[in-house]
Amino acid sequence: MKKLFVWLVISLSLFLVACSQDASEEEVTDNVLNSHHDVNQYSAEFNINTSDVTSTVNYNTEVSLTEEPASKHQVSTTETDGEETSIDTYRVDDEIYTQEADSPWVEREAEADEALFNPSYRDVVAVLENVIDYAAFDPEGNTYTFHYEGFERDIYEAFEGPFNILIGGSDIADEDMSLDFSFEVNKSDFNIEHVEYNLSVENETGNVDINILVDYDDINDVDELEIPEEVIEEAASS
């Protein structure tokens, strides 16, 4: 009986160790770069804050969406030097309803190849794929993290397009720019949960600081989205 007890304790210990072992960097990399193939639904919050000597702009988008078939509810808010504007959007298939501030709801058809949401989960995975060779890997904590600090033009260009980063000035030298990024990956399913990107630029108008945050949640667990009847009725009467 005593031997059996000892064997059970050892077996349980080995099981707990095996369950608590982190995946290798190669395993995490392979899984996260392929994760977008299995992601069809998610909620996301996207923030981009830009400041320079002339103004401060804060842009925030909260969205819940299903990629196939296309549907979403999105609220985007832009605050420029204390003045705020917002756009509320519903989309199901190619039907889109939008409301700007307190204006009436307006209906329109989706344009050909119109993006459902930027930056999409697929976009963010593509950015990580383009910068992952520069990143340090950290398996500690509740998430796997890829992070970097310094400057590489390839990293700047990888984030520039998908995140629509526009910086005034011409031919900014690399030595006038610094950046850092981090990607946090869920340890259970290898989905990206959080992205942070910071860029600082010195140009002829002074310093430009850009901070980007993206959080993903409810992956493949979004309720079916429908356009509210009151939205449809208001758009039809306007």
Side-chain angles (χ1 to χ4, degrees), residues 24-229:
S24 68
E25 180 176 357
E26 182 178 1
E27 290 173 322
V28 175
T29 299
D30 288 344
N31 278 282
V32 71
L33 295 186
N34 285 289
S35 62
H36 64 89
H37 294 297
D38 299 319
V39 173
N40 185 53
Q41 298 176 318
Y42 52 86
S43 298
E45 182 171 2
F46 171 49
N47 291 278
I48 178 167
N49 304 314
T50 305
S51 61
D52 58 24
V53 294
T54 61
S55 65
T56 298
V57 179
N58 301 316
Y59 174 78
N60 171 267
T61 292
E62 295 184 19
V63 63
S64 292
L65 65 83
T66 297
E67 293 184 352
E68 292 291 341
S71 64
K72 75 170 179 180
H73 179 218
Q74 175 176 311
V75 179
S76 299
T77 304
T78 303
E79 183 179 345
T80 305
D81 296 332
E83 292 191 15
E84 186 175 286
T85 59
S86 64
I87 301 176
D88 197 343
T89 304
Y90 284 95
R91 175 175 175 176
V92 173
D93 295 325
D94 289 332
E95 286 186 286
I96 297 178
Y97 291 79
T98 59
Q99 181 186 51
E100 296 189 25
D102 296 324
S103 300
W105 285 94
V106 177
E107 180 188 4
R108 68 176 178 86
E109 292 293 311
E111 298 177 5
D113 300 323
E114 180 174 343
L116 191 63
F117 168 68
N118 286 316
S120 70
Y121 186 84
R122 184 183 298 271
D123 291 336
V124 168
V125 171
V127 171
L128 177 58
E129 186 170 17
N130 287 328
V131 303
I132 200 166
D133 288 342
Y134 296 101
F137 175 70
D138 183 2
E140 301 299 323
N142 296 325
T143 59
Y144 297 114
T145 304
F146 294 92
H147 58 90
Y148 170 88
E149 184 175 348
F151 185 80
E152 287 288 344
R153 177 126 332 234
D154 288 346
I155 297 175
Y156 167 73
E157 292 176 352
F159 278 90
E160 184 181 29
F163 289 93
N164 297 316
I165 300 170
L166 300 176
I167 298 175
S170 59
D171 299 326
I172 300 171
D174 289 2
E175 57 265 26
D176 295 329
M177 307 174 74
S178 61
L179 60 83
D180 63 77
F181 69 75
S182 64
F183 290 76
E184 295 183 13
V185 177
N186 186 288
K187 286 191 170 183
S188 298
D189 54 25
F190 301 102
N191 291 321
I192 296 172
E193 292 184 339
H194 177 78
V195 182
E196 182 167 359
Y197 175 72
N198 299 293
L199 174 67
S200 181
V201 180
E202 184 177 348
N203 62 14
E204 65 270 18
T205 64
N207 289 331
V208 178
D209 294 306
I210 298 173
N211 170 253
I212 294 172
L213 297 172
V214 188
D215 289 295
Y216 292 101
D217 198 3
D218 302 325
I219 292 180
N220 294 331
D221 191 26
V222 172
D223 292 336
E224 183 178 356
L225 294 167
E226 297 180 348
I227 301 170
E229 284 297 325

